[in-house]
Amino acid sequence: MTTARRDTYTPETLLSVAVRVFNERGYDGTSMEHLSKAAGISKSSIYHHVTGKEELLRRAVSRALDGLFAILDEPGAVRGRAVERVEYVTRRTVEVLMAELPYVTLLLRVRGNTATERWAMERRREFDHRVADLLGAAAADGDLRSDVDIRLATRLLFGMINSLVEWYRPHPDQTDRDQLAETVARLAFDGLRKAG
Amino acid sequence: MTTARRDTYTPETLLSVAVRVFNERGYDGTSMEHLSKAAGISKSSIYHHVTGKEELLRRAVSRALDGLFAILDEPGAVRGRAVERVEYVTRRTVEVLMAELPYVTLLLRVRGNTATERWAMERRREFDHRVADLLGAAAADGDLRSDVDIRLATRLLFGMINSLVEWYRPHPDQTDRDQLAETVARLAFDGLRKAG
């Protein structure tokens, strides 16, 4: 891990360093001192870019949330049968999680002691609700099995998707990423068992 | 939360208090002082029962691990087609997780700084491998869809199961618990989509 030179520092590099430190130490356990050391710049240089660590948290989780909410406006999420739309959203959520791994990891670990953390949790729940609504619509269309409770299914679906932050490590191979997103969608919608 | 009276203290009550504190503060963040305060007994009384906090950790994760490994010896896990056995193990894993929630939660959060933590992680991986072997056997029988990688499927299956510790809260209603275990098995093996 190299430390960037002061004259090449941008808000973007500072953000990526901050997210790494937040994920390593936890947001609560991170001080401006830790950020300054990890970034290799003085605290006053950091304050030149942001008002403090809470602003860095807000920017970081916003990046994850913007990526996730953008999915819901994509053609695959707004056109067609609900069951196809929710499967599309599942696949794309996995892709955004892989593409924005440290940011989504931070979002999922946020626990709610500050206003920013509570806001992030609220927005995350809102995303989950939007997906639950899609699942509800698919059930109303008669496209989902009737013996599964939608609220429970939503939690299990996100449990499976979000578990990726625990073990997924970025891979340069695009085929690998496509396969992972496809596997999650297959497992969630068609299950492991071979159709008999 | 009441503190137990000294004269009624047993190793069992001490263990359940320790697990609660470990889950709240993290194992690393818990001192004997914290345990003494939470249990309402002196540190020397705790040392009367155990050699220190690492022994409490070992006992706690052993309880979770014993519960999980016992599943693999049950008739449903050793007799019949592999696909039925692994579905049985999935359902029972969810049941053990619900029955031993604080112990399994602690097991899943262990990160490996001490010998006991590394041992717990190793045993947990061994359990995952046993389930992966069952999935492999089911695939070899031709009972699983062929487009899903077994290693990936195992990770996603446990991702879904283990996510329960994040939101499941004990419920006195046995029907509720049965339904949850059944839903996880249905989702994992048959998927959300209505068979067409």
Side-chain angles (χ1 to χ4, degrees):
Chain A
M1 213 57 66
T2 59
T3 50
R5 294 205 328 279
R6 177 191 288 243
D7 57 358
T8 61
Y9 241 80
T10 66
E12 191 62 19
T13 33
L14 177 59
L15 189 64
S16 77
V17 170
V19 169
R20 176 169 55 78
V21 181
F22 289 156
N23 280 331
E24 278 167 12
R25 315 186 65 99
Y27 176 68
D28 280 346
T30 302
S31 66
M32 286 299 278
E33 190 68 32
H34 294 132
L35 293 177
S36 151
K37 271 192 188 154
I41 57 173
S42 67
K43 279 196 268 185
S44 64
S45 296
I46 297 181
Y47 284 120
H48 176 73
H49 292 295
V50 291
T51 56
K53 71 168 187 166
E54 197 168 344
E55 185 181 335
L56 286 164
L57 178 69
R58 191 177 53 71
R59 287 191 192 184
V61 294
S62 291
R63 180 160 154 171
L65 288 162
D66 290 350
L68 292 170
F69 275 96
I71 296 169
L72 303 174
D73 295 325
E74 292 172 3
V78 292
R79 285 204 283 266
R81 283 184 86 80
V83 68
E84 303 303 329
R85 285 153 58 198
V86 69
E87 191 177 329
Y88 174 86
V89 169
T90 299
R91 200 179 291 112
R92 289 286 296 128
T93 299
V94 174
E95 286 170 0
V96 167
L97 187 147
M98 291 187 286
E100 304 287 356
L101 189 65
Y103 300 89
V104 179
T105 302
L106 183 64
L107 174 67
L108 294 177
R109 290 189 183 159
V110 149
R111 277 298 169 269
N113 296 315
T114 61
T116 299
E117 287 170 277
R118 287 190 295 272
W119 167 79
M121 290 173 76
E122 190 47 54
R123 291 280 289 159
R124 192 189 138 192
R125 264 195 294 270
E126 199 184 317
F127 182 77
D128 293 6
H129 284 311
R130 295 279 298 271
V131 177
D133 287 347
L134 268 179
L135 276 172
D141 287 344
D143 288 335
L144 297 192
R145 44 190 316 127
S146 53
D147 56 352
V148 167
D149 173 80
I150 295 301
R151 193 157 145 270
L152 193 49
T154 308
R155 280 178 157 163
L156 294 172
L157 179 62
F158 279 109
M160 181 164 64
I161 295 174
N162 295 344
S163 73
L164 265 73
V165 304
E166 302 300 329
W167 56 265
Y168 176 74
R169 292 299 162 261
H171 203 280
D173 186 352
Q174 177 65 38
T175 322
D176 231 66
R177 276 155 67 159
D178 290 349
Q179 197 215 334
L180 186 49
E182 185 55 30
T183 300
V184 172
R186 282 284 68 68
L187 208 163
F189 289 90
D190 299 318
L192 286 168
R193 198 193 314 269
K194 191 173 164 182
Chain B
M1 214 57 64
T2 59
T3 51
R5 292 206 327 280
R6 180 190 290 242
D7 56 358
T8 61
Y9 241 78
T10 67
E12 191 63 18
T13 32
L14 178 58
L15 190 63
S16 77
V17 170
V19 169
R20 177 169 55 80
V21 181
F22 289 156
N23 280 332
E24 279 167 12
R25 315 186 64 100
Y27 176 68
D28 280 346
T30 302
S31 65
M32 287 300 278
E33 189 68 33
H34 294 133
L35 293 177
S36 153
K37 271 193 189 152
I41 59 174
S42 68
K43 278 195 269 187
S44 64
S45 297
I46 296 181
Y47 283 119
H48 177 73
H49 293 294
V50 291
T51 56
K53 72 169 188 165
E54 196 168 344
E55 186 181 336
L56 286 164
L57 178 69
R58 192 179 52 74
R59 289 191 190 183
V61 294
S62 291
R63 179 160 156 173
L65 287 162
D66 290 350
L68 292 170
F69 275 95
I71 296 169
L72 302 175
D73 296 325
E74 290 172 4
V78 292
R79 285 203 284 266
R81 285 184 84 81
V83 67
E84 303 303 329
R85 285 151 62 199
V86 70
E87 190 176 328
Y88 174 86
V89 169
T90 299
R91 201 179 289 111
R92 290 284 297 126
T93 299
V94 174
E95 286 169 3
V96 167
L97 187 148
M98 289 186 287
E100 305 288 357
L101 189 66
Y103 300 90
V104 179
T105 302
L106 184 62
L107 175 68
L108 295 177
R109 288 187 186 164
V110 150
R111 278 297 170 269
N113 297 315
T114 63
T116 299
E117 287 169 278
R118 285 189 297 271
W119 166 81
M121 287 173 77
E122 189 48 52
R123 292 280 289 157
R124 192 190 138 193
R125 263 194 295 269
E126 199 184 317
F127 181 78
D128 292 5
H129 284 311
R130 296 279 297 274
V131 177
D133 286 348
L134 269 179
L135 277 173
D141 288 344
D143 289 336
L144 297 192
R145 46 192 314 129
S146 53
D147 57 352
V148 167
D149 174 79
I150 295 301
R151 194 158 144 269
L152 193 50
T154 308
R155 282 179 157 163
L156 293 172
L157 179 61
F158 279 109
M160 182 165 63
I161 295 173
N162 295 343
S163 73
L164 265 74
V165 305
E166 302 301 328
W167 56 265
Y168 175 75
R169 293 298 163 260
H171 204 278
D173 187 352
Q174 178 65 37
T175 322
D176 231 64
R177 276 154 67 159
D178 291 348
Q179 196 216 334
L180 186 49
E182 185 55 29
T183 301
V184 172
R186 281 286 65 69
L187 207 164
F189 289 90
D190 299 318
L192 286 169
R193 198 193 315 270
K194 192 172 166 185

